[in-house]
Structure formats: C-alpha cells, structure tokens
Amino acid sequence: MRARKIRSSDRNLFLAIFSLLCGLVLSGPAHSSGLEYDFLAAKEAYAAGDASSLEAHSASILNSPLAPYAEFWQTALTLSGDDPQPVEDFLKKYKGTLLAERMRNAWLKHLAKKGQWQLFLDQYPKLESSDPGLFCSSLEARNALGDKKAYGEAKPMWMSATPLPQSCQPIFDSLLASGEISTDAVRKRLRLILESGNLTLATEVNDDLPANERLSAKLLRSAYSNPYHYLKNPRLSTRSEREVALFAVLRIAREDPAQAKAYWSDISSKYGAADRSYLLARIAFRAALNHMPEALSWFDEAGGPQTPEESQWAIREALRLKDWNRVLEGIDSLPPQVQSDEAWQYWKARALEHKGRNSEANALFAALSHQRDFYGQLALEEMGTVITVPENAYRPSRKEIEAVRNLPGIQRSLLLYSMGLRYFATREWIWAVRNFDDHELISAAELAKSEGLYDRAINTAEKAKTIEDFDLRFLAPYRSIMHEQTKLLDLDEAWVYGLIRQESRFVTAAKSGVGASGLMQLMPATASWVARKMGLRNYRNSIVSELETNISLGTYYLKHVLGELGNQPVLASAAYNAGPSRARKWLDQEPMEGAIYIESIPFGETRDYVKKVMSNTEYYAISFGQESRTLKQRLGMLKRSDAGQIEGP
C-alpha cells in the first residue's frame, strides 16, 4: 500500500487515538534488531508523519503476524479526511481484531469532528468497547438526524466530580439552556467538585449558574488556599457567600473533622435545615474515615447519612463498635444494588447471627459460600466447613492448546511478548480471549503458563465460570528461590506468594505508575533503604527488578514490617500497600477482629488488596500442604504492638 502524507489535523487525530493504544513511549530502534527494529522504526515514522520511512520499514512487518500494525499506520497516513474507503477496507480485512476496533474508534472521532452523522451512526453500533466521548457523539448524531429526545440520555453522566469528555459539552450546554439540568443540579454538582478539590473544574461549572448566583472566584481561591483563615471572618450575607464558607468547612473536614465541626457550629445558624444536614453528614463521613468515635453521633445529629457512601461508612464504624443492631439497620437501609454486595451480605449474616436469627444468617452464608473469594471463604467457615481446593475437572489436550496458539491474535500477542513489548502484547491477549468459552480459556491459560506469561495464565483462568483450575489460578513460580528465602527469614511462604500474586502476578518486569518495580513492586526509596539495612554493597536501583534481588529485598522488607507490627500478617499486608504508619493508625486501642479491621480500611484500594492477599494466602497454604488453619484464624484479633515510631523509608 503506497502511503502519502495528509493534513496534520487528520494525522494528529489518528496519532492521538493510537497513542492510547500504545500507552507507553517505546525505546528507539537503535538497540533492536530484525522485526523488532522495523516495528519500532515504523511506529516512530508514523508518529513523525514520515510516510516514506514508514513504507521502508513496513515490508518485514507486512510478512509477519504484526501486519495489522503496519497497515494501521499506513491507513492513518493515507486518509484524505473525506474518503472512507481506506478505513472500510482496513475494517473489512481485519474484522474482529484489536486494531480494527481501534481504527473504528479513531474513525468515529473523525466522523464526529466532520459532522458526518449518518456515516457515524452506521459505524457506531459496531464498536465493542465503551467510550463516553463517542457515546455523546452518538447522541449528537441522533439529534442532528431528528431524534430530539437523544440529548436527555446524557443527563446521568453530568452529575460527576470529574471532567467530562469535550464532545459531551454541546449536549450539556443544550440541556442547561433548556432547563433540563436545573440550577439546583448545578449547585449539587458544584459541591461535589469543590469537595473533591478540583478548583479549575469548579470554576468552569460555576459559570453554569445564573450570573447573579455564581460564587465569587476570588472568595473561592481564598477559601481553597487557607480555609482556616477564611472562616475567621467569613461572608455569609448571600447564598453564594454561604456556599463558599461551606466549601471552606469541607476543606478543613478532609484534614481535621473535629475542627470543621467547631467552625461549622459557629456559622450553621445562617443555613437552612437541608444544608445543615448535608454538611454535618459530610463531616461525620470524614470522621468515620478517620475512625473517630464521634462519627456515629454526628451522623445522628445530621438526621442520618445522606448518601450510600456515607451509609456504608456509618456501618463500618458500627462494626468497629460491635453495635450489631446498628449494623443490621444500616445494611437494611442501603439501596438494593448496594445491599446485595458480598461484603454487606456477609456482615448482615453476622449481625443476624448476633441477634440469634441463625436460620436467616445461615441462608445468607450458604449463598455466599459458593464464591471462591474473601467473603465466600469466611461464609463457608461460619457454616463449619473447611475450605478445600477442587480437583481439576478438565485438562486441555495438546491439540486444544495448539489451536489457541495458532489464532492470529494470540500469535501477535506471543510475538510482541517475545519482543519485550508488553503493553501491546497484553492488549492483544485480552482482546483475543474476550469471547472464549471456558475450555478455550483454560487452554489459553495453559499456553500462557508454558510461555512463562504467569499474569496472563492467572487472569485468563480466572475468567472461566464453570471450570475451576486452581493450579492455574494460584501459580507458584520461582518456588526454589522463594522457599529458600522465606525459610531463611522465617516467613509464611503461602502469605508471601499471596502478596506477590496481588502485587505483580509474578511479572518480573512489572512497573507501576508510581515507580514500583519487579515481582514485589518495590519503590526506589524502599529498595535503597532495605539494601542499606542488609549491608548490600554497590547496590543500584537499576537492578531492583532482577528476580533474586527483588525477592531478597522484598522479603526482607516484608519481614521488617511484620516485626514492627507485632507479627500480624493482616497489618503487614496493609502496610506493604499503604505504609506502616497508616496500618497502625487504623487500629483501635482495644483488640479488634481482623475482618472488621480490613472492612474499615479507609482506602478502597488497600481494603481490596488486603482481602485478596489474605484470601490468596489460604489457597496457597492448601496447595503447599501447610498445617490447616481457617481464614478467620489467619486474620486473628489485631492489637497494637509495643513498638514506637516505625523505622523505615
């Protein structure tokens, strides 16, 4: 296919979309060879809009499983902006592939930009992945072609504390102008945004209010930068001034709910009942996140929680106080879709059990016990049953595994993995297995395991709904190294494996968005600190991802944290994710049940992380033939250790 350069605006559109697919900056081709060299060079040529260089490096790619990439880049550079034929040819040739999906996504954005609405609507239903911006464009297309009710479907998107796609703005402007989004709704969204701390977005949404009701930008900046100073002499004459003062109180509540409550007491008489309830509930919510004993009484003062989020934190505080009546009442008051969550079903059963309503409790435990996760395990134990690992009911044949290997998408993925291009490779794998049945999933997982792609093996096996292959779900690679290291440090090998499975899925080259590296996801400062503690000479952070180095540093740090936190694995798991000081801060003065501690961890990511680490540990313990212990025993009763300031990076 001969390429020719197009207008920069069209090329930039496709470049922007394809950069989302790439998701990373590839290293230059200078250190590559063969197909990898041409692939990287072709991508760079495309990014630079250099059609001749792209064509020169495409020959070898076009004769490989990676041909769709070369043709994607070439097609993007041959677009005239008006002729759909090159795109349609590409979509037809590579129907069902990841790059066809990305091409269609890019083409739809182009059609929306050009206002070619009928062609847009012809293509949009064929898009498999969701895209909020394109959804708004589809509504604009329908409106342009006569469906005047289309814009109304965008209303649920609008009430968000985060920025919305630019393509949605014309629709929201229309809804605001027509009054379908009311002034009260604007005020409500503005409060959400202000509490999130996004002053830039708040300023934009503030402009959606009538001119005479907008908040003063100057006062907002003052309240944002120093809310304590602002509230020494706040302006409260107008509604907009009172809203700014309310914002200042919310700013303080994020850091010090008790101080916020004190400031609020001084000015609350200037507000109506609805505002008083709202603000008190938000202060109570912040107090609950900080496990302050006043949280529940403040919720009561507010007339109860005002949102499902607040309700759930009131329940968590009731759990910490062992107020089972309030736990049950709180769960029963949750919206049905929230109440049905496994966590709340488990705690409802526990509350019913405490009230002597055992038959109701057992019915809930029985329903949960079929789930192979944290709450399913705990529910099974509440019924007096020991957790077991099912025998593998299905083993794929070599023929079935090879059939998966020969699929074009899998071939592309494996080739990209072999070239070290993990992002491309992983996206191809995920796309290739998305519609597999359970037998194909297990075959693909076995293939991934044989190729050393442990994360793909685990994730793919977990997708199977009717086949439970725990050998694949709970892989234990690098066992000889790990066994020796955990024995040396007297660490529970099952727990360490449970933690690594959650950290990296055993990808040695894993690197997080914040810079954590390797199998055990060590931050540079942590790795350097541990290296000094271990007396390692000539340590440098460039070797932190090396397998044995990473395991050595990571297990040493884990042992250190475990010791600092009273040899309590639940606390050490929380500390590994969120830091030792936080893990200790979340404890009560009195011993508390491990499951309640986990449920009330303020950070959602850490809460989910600790649940999964401890659940993983139980399955690894069974796999390793360790002495039988229940998950509840592993969680234990947590208490403060005698250690003072925790040493660490």
Side-chain angles (χ1 to χ4, degrees):
M1 183 182 294
R2 180 162 295 279
R4 57 188 175 84
K5 215 168 197 177
I6 60 161
R7 292 194 304 264
S8 63
S9 60
D10 291 323
R11 184 182 63 80
N12 288 343
L13 173 66
F14 276 79
L15 179 57
I17 302 305
F18 193 69
S19 67
L20 296 176
L21 168 67
C22 299
L24 75 166
V25 178
L26 296 175
S27 58
H31 304 293
S32 309
S33 60
L35 179 61
E36 182 180 357
Y37 174 93
D38 282 330
F39 186 88
L40 295 172
K43 182 195 177 292
E44 289 183 355
Y46 167 71
D50 187 342
S52 60
S53 179
L54 172 59
E55 187 169 13
H57 288 287
S58 291
S60 65
I61 305 172
L62 291 169
N63 290 316
S64 79
L66 301 182
Y69 287 88
E71 291 198 44
F72 182 102
W73 295 323
Q74 289 184 330
T75 300
L77 289 185
T78 58
L79 290 172
S80 66
D82 299 313
D83 181 10
Q85 196 60 49
V87 173
E88 290 177 354
D89 290 345
F90 182 91
L91 293 175
K92 182 178 179 180
K93 182 174 182 179
Y94 292 112
K95 181 180 179 180
T97 67
L98 172 66
L99 287 184
E101 179 76 357
R102 293 297 184 257
M103 178 65 79
R104 181 170 281 111
N105 184 290
W107 181 235
L108 284 166
K109 284 181 168 62
H110 177 79
L111 293 174
K113 180 181 175 183
K114 296 290 186 180
Q116 295 177 279
W117 297 124
Q118 187 57 61
L119 191 53
F120 180 99
L121 290 178
D122 291 342
Q123 288 292 330
Y124 182 70
K126 300 175 185 177
L127 191 71
E128 290 190 39
S129 54
S130 61
D131 184 310
L134 285 177
F135 172 69
C136 283
S137 294
S138 74
L139 300 182
E140 191 170 357
R142 286 166 51 192
N143 179 76
L145 295 178
D147 183 356
K148 299 307 178 184
K149 295 182 179 180
Y151 279 6
E153 295 178 27
K155 287 175 67 175
M157 294 176 60
W158 187 79
M159 191 58 70
S160 170
T162 57
L164 298 166
Q166 190 60 39
S167 60
C168 298
Q169 196 56 52
I171 297 175
F172 295 139
D173 287 343
S174 176
L175 292 172
L176 286 161
S178 67
E180 287 197 53
I181 295 177
S182 67
T183 300
D184 283 343
V186 175
R187 292 193 192 97
K188 185 176 180 180
R189 185 182 180 209
L190 184 56
R191 281 184 175 179
L192 287 175
I193 297 166
L194 286 171
E195 190 176 359
S196 75
N198 189 335
L199 195 61
T200 300
L201 181 59
T203 301
E204 294 175 7
V205 174
N206 187 42
D207 289 341
D208 292 332
L209 288 170
N212 63 337
E213 296 185 34
R214 289 173 192 158
L215 280 57
S216 162
K218 181 179 179 181
L219 293 183
L220 269 179
R221 287 193 297 271
S222 177
Y224 179 87
S225 61
N226 193 336
Y228 296 92
H229 177 75
Y230 184 85
L231 288 171
K232 286 181 179 179
N233 187 27
R235 299 183 185 182
L236 300 168
S237 299
T238 66
R239 179 169 186 165
S240 60
E241 289 175 345
R242 290 192 292 274
E243 200 70 24
V244 175
L246 187 147
F247 165 56
V249 175
L250 289 173
R251 289 283 291 169
I252 294 173
R254 295 180 71 91
E255 299 178 357
D256 190 338
Q259 275 276 60
K261 181 70 161 55
Y263 277 110
W264 178 242
S265 297
D266 291 339
I267 64 174
S268 60
S269 62
K270 302 292 185 181
Y271 292 78
D275 285 342
R276 289 198 297 271
S277 293
Y278 164 78
L279 201 283
L280 274 172
R282 295 315 290 168
I283 294 175
F285 166 68
R286 292 294 173 184
L289 288 175
N290 285 278
H291 303 316
M292 294 172 60
E294 303 92 338
L296 290 180
S297 64
W298 290 353
F299 272 126
D300 290 340
E301 190 178 345
Q306 308 289 301
T307 67
E309 179 185 43
E310 292 169 0
S311 296
Q312 290 174 83
W313 274 100
I315 296 166
R316 291 185 175 109
E317 283 309 292
L319 277 173
R320 291 173 72 93
L321 295 172
K322 301 183 181 67
D323 186 343
W324 294 103
N325 285 330
R326 186 152 186 164
V327 168
L328 186 56
E329 291 169 1
I331 294 173
D332 283 341
S333 70
L334 291 171
Q337 68 274 20
V338 179
Q339 189 179 149
S340 65
D341 182 83
E342 282 186 349
W344 301 129
Q345 289 295 289
Y346 172 76
W347 291 115
K348 181 175 182 176
R350 288 284 303 275
L352 289 167
E353 195 174 47
H354 275 273
K355 291 176 68 65
R357 295 161 61 178
N358 293 332
S359 61
E360 294 174 75
N362 288 334
L364 292 177
F365 286 139
L368 288 170
S369 66
H370 300 291
Q371 302 300 317
R372 298 286 187 175
D373 56 16
F374 183 77
Y375 290 110
Q377 290 168 292
L378 289 175
L380 197 65
E381 292 172 357
E382 290 290 338
M383 297 171 65
T385 305
V386 178
I387 298 169
T388 59
V389 172
E391 292 185 9
N392 295 330
Y394 170 72
R395 290 289 187 190
S397 66
R398 181 180 296 275
K399 182 179 180 181
E400 289 172 303
I401 295 172
E402 289 305 307
V404 170
R405 183 193 295 274
N406 290 329
L407 294 172
I410 297 294
Q411 287 185 337
R412 283 191 293 275
S413 178
L414 294 178
L415 181 54
L416 288 163
Y417 274 121
S418 73
M419 293 161 59
L421 304 176
R422 287 195 60 86
Y423 185 88
F424 288 91
T426 301
R427 300 279 73 74
E428 285 281 4
W429 184 280
I430 292 171
W431 185 262
V433 306
R434 72 195 187 285
N435 294 322
F436 278 12
D437 63 30
D438 282 3
H439 291 85
E440 291 170 322
L441 287 169
I442 298 302
S443 299
E446 285 284 5
L447 172 62
K449 176 186 174 184
S450 71
E451 295 287 338
L453 304 173
Y454 303 122
D455 60 324
R456 290 302 96 215
I458 293 169
N459 288 14
T460 305
E462 281 190 328
K463 290 178 179 293
K465 293 180 173 58
T466 62
I467 301 174
E468 295 184 305
D469 191 325
F470 277 68
D471 290 342
L472 288 170
R473 292 188 186 190
F474 294 92
L475 292 172
Y478 320 119
R479 187 81 194 275
S480 60
I481 300 171
M482 190 67 71
H483 184 72
E484 180 181 347
Q485 187 67 16
T486 53
K487 185 177 180 180
L488 177 68
L489 295 173
D490 192 26
L491 283 170
D492 179 359
E493 186 179 11
W495 175 51
V496 177
Y497 265 100
L499 184 141
I500 294 175
R501 184 183 186 273
Q502 197 56 32
E503 284 287 346
S504 68
R505 288 291 201 266
F506 306 103
V507 177
T508 57
K511 192 155 183 103
S512 76
V514 295
S517 299
L519 209 67
M520 297 192 71
Q521 288 291 277
L522 291 168
M523 293 294 290
T526 301
S528 296
W529 181 84
V530 174
R532 290 195 299 273
K533 291 287 290 184
M534 293 177 66
L536 297 181
R537 297 181 178 180
N538 301 320
Y539 172 78
R540 57 197 184 281
N541 274 324
S542 61
I543 65 170
V544 69
S545 292
E546 293 179 2
L547 179 63
E548 294 195 30
T549 299
N550 196 268
I551 290 175
S552 178
L553 294 173
T555 52
Y556 185 96
Y557 178 65
L558 197 55
K559 177 68 174 180
H560 167 76
V561 170
L562 184 65
E564 293 277 8
L565 292 168
N567 293 308
Q568 300 174 96
V570 169
L571 296 185
S573 299
Y576 201 87
N577 183 263
S581 297
R582 289 194 181 104
R584 177 182 285 178
K585 176 184 176 184
W586 298 331
L587 283 166
D588 273 344
Q589 292 299 324
E590 299 297 320
M592 65 186 305
E593 184 183 334
I596 292 177
Y597 172 89
I598 295 171
E599 186 58 57
S600 58
I601 290 174
F603 299 166
E605 177 190 326
T606 304
R607 187 165 62 249
D608 184 62
Y609 172 89
V610 178
K611 289 176 186 178
K612 288 179 177 175
V613 167
M614 299 311 297
S615 176
N616 294 346
T617 299
E618 188 69 12
Y619 285 122
Y620 277 114
I622 296 170
S623 176
F624 296 165
Q626 292 185 0
E627 183 180 351
S628 178
R629 294 173 65 194
T630 66
L631 176 57
K632 196 168 184 177
Q633 287 172 335
R634 286 185 181 278
L635 302 182
M637 293 293 294
L638 306 182
K639 59 184 180 180
R640 291 184 177 276
S641 62
D642 295 330
Q645 180 66 36
I646 295 177
E647 182 188 10

